[in-house]
Amino acid sequence: LALLEDEERGGPLALSEYLARFPEIAGFVRDEYAVMLERNERDAAFRARYELQQKIGQGGMGEVTLAVDRVLGRKVALKSVRSSACDARMIERLRREARTLSRLEHPSICRILDVIENDGAVTLVLPFHEGIPLSDWIDRARARHPRADFLGLDVGDDGRDSRRSLAAILTFFVHVVDAVHAAHVSGVIHRDLKPANLLVMPNGLPMVLDFGLALDLHAVNGRLTIAGESIGTTYYMPPEQIEGRVATIHGDIYALG
């Protein structure tokens, strides 16, 4: 406890100081001191490589921070479990998301660059993609065009803008469906497809995000949910998922529809 308090105040004392104060538990003190030094070294290495800039996303369990990888000179997105939601199951869910993403190869699925573990915490290093969530794109389109339909499709009198918008939307969703199909072929069910998890890239094409609730049918212990537990976003969940039954690819198809 004294070691942790000193660390929080600005830095631990020399090992000899603690050994002199707690000679009766000298072995325990040495072990804990070594663990602390190793953790501090990993923290320093992380801070040396990644320059944290700003939080760019937050959900019920996780948060995403924009950072710069100083070694490779590129922007990355760091995904971690929020401290208030941090427990063993959430940490394992993040590990599984990393393993799932490592198996998926598709231009419209956000890939994983690295996994960093330190003192029980897990951080996923993901590419940073410029773009806006489809949910925000829809809201902006509706604000620009009061007569827009539920997708933000312009319904102008001449119809020409509508046809251009419809072609762009259809192209976008063809790529989304192809990405989800690729995941299904690899044995992965997303289970949380919704506009907020579909990024609209500057070229108008999608990037499917957030496989944190995905079910990997090839995992040795594929389920992290409790029997009967309902996970996902209710508005886009099929009835069987709301009822906590075993997920299938049909749930993703329902969400896309």
Side-chain angles (χ1 to χ4, degrees), residues 7 15 41 81 91 110 118 130 139 149 178 203 223-224 227 232-233 257:
E7 189 176 11
L15 175 59
E41 288 176 4
V81 178
I91 292 296
C110 184
N118 187 14
E130 300 282 354
D139 290 341
D149 68 5
D178 190 60
N203 62 3
R223 291 179 64 90
L224 275 176
T233 304

Side-chain angles (χ1 to χ4, degrees), residues 85-247:
C86 189
D87 62 30
R89 193 161 62 132
M90 294 303 103
I91 292 296
E92 182 57 25
R93 196 183 294 283
L94 205 58
R95 288 194 186 102
R96 292 203 177 186
E97 180 178 0
R99 290 193 290 267
T100 297
L101 288 175
S102 71
R103 295 202 301 104
L104 298 180
E105 291 287 344
H106 191 279
S108 290
I109 294 178
C110 184
R111 70 188 193 281
I112 187 164
L113 301 176
D114 198 4
V115 181
I116 300 171
E117 296 204 30
N118 187 14
D119 197 30
V122 178
T123 300
L124 306 189
V125 183
L126 308 166
F128 172 70
H129 294 288
E130 300 282 354
I132 63 171
L134 179 61
S135 52
D136 291 352
W137 186 89
I138 293 172
D139 290 341
R140 292 181 187 182
R142 286 173 174 168
R144 290 195 305 268
H145 305 290
R147 293 193 298 172
D149 68 5
F150 77 102
L151 276 176
L153 183 62
D154 182 10
V155 287
D157 293 332
D158 61 7
R160 286 178 295 181
D161 287 342
S162 294
R163 287 192 292 273
R164 283 195 295 269
S165 298
L166 179 59
I169 290 171
L170 290 177
T171 299
F172 179 90
F173 275 102
V174 164
H175 283 82
V176 171
V177 170
D178 190 60
V180 173
H181 173 68
H184 291 170
V185 170
S186 296
V188 175
I189 303 171
H190 190 286
R191 297 201 293 185
D192 197 23
L193 289 170
K194 57 185 178 182
N197 286 338
L198 301 175
L199 195 68
V200 182
M201 307 283 281
N203 62 3
L205 298 180
M207 186 63 62
V208 181
L209 308 174
D210 199 349
F211 280 75
L213 297 181
L215 176 63
D216 188 344
L217 300 177
H218 293 166
V220 176
N221 296 306
R223 291 179 64 90
L224 275 176
T225 52
I226 301 169
E229 181 183 20
S230 175
I231 63 168
T233 304
T234 304
Y235 189 81
Y236 300 96
M237 292 164 60
E240 64 270 18
Q241 192 170 334
I242 293 175
E243 295 170 359
R245 287 186 270 154
V246 177

Side-chain angles (χ1 to χ4, degrees), residues 61-104:
M61 299 175 293
E63 60 186 22
V64 181
T65 303
L66 174 64
V68 173
D69 183 338
R70 293 189 177 101
V71 174
L72 299 178
R74 63 182 177 185
K75 293 181 179 180
V76 296
L78 303 177
K79 181 176 181 178
S80 58
V81 178
R82 291 191 298 110
S83 56
S84 60
C86 189
D87 62 30
R89 193 161 62 132
M90 294 303 103
I91 292 296
E92 182 57 25
R93 196 183 294 283
L94 205 58
R95 288 194 186 102
R96 292 203 177 186
E97 180 178 0
R99 290 193 290 267
T100 297
L101 288 175
S102 71
R103 295 202 301 104
L104 298 180

Side-chain angles (χ1 to χ4, degrees), residues 1-13:
L1 181 60
L3 184 59
L4 292 175
E5 290 176 347
D6 290 340
E7 189 176 11
E8 290 175 356
R9 289 193 189 105
L13 304 176

Side-chain angles (χ1 to χ4, degrees), residues 12-23 29-30 33:
L13 304 176
L15 175 59
S16 57
E17 296 279 347
Y18 298 107
L19 292 175
R21 289 166 61 184
F22 307 104
V29 170
R30 287 192 181 91
Y33 199 87

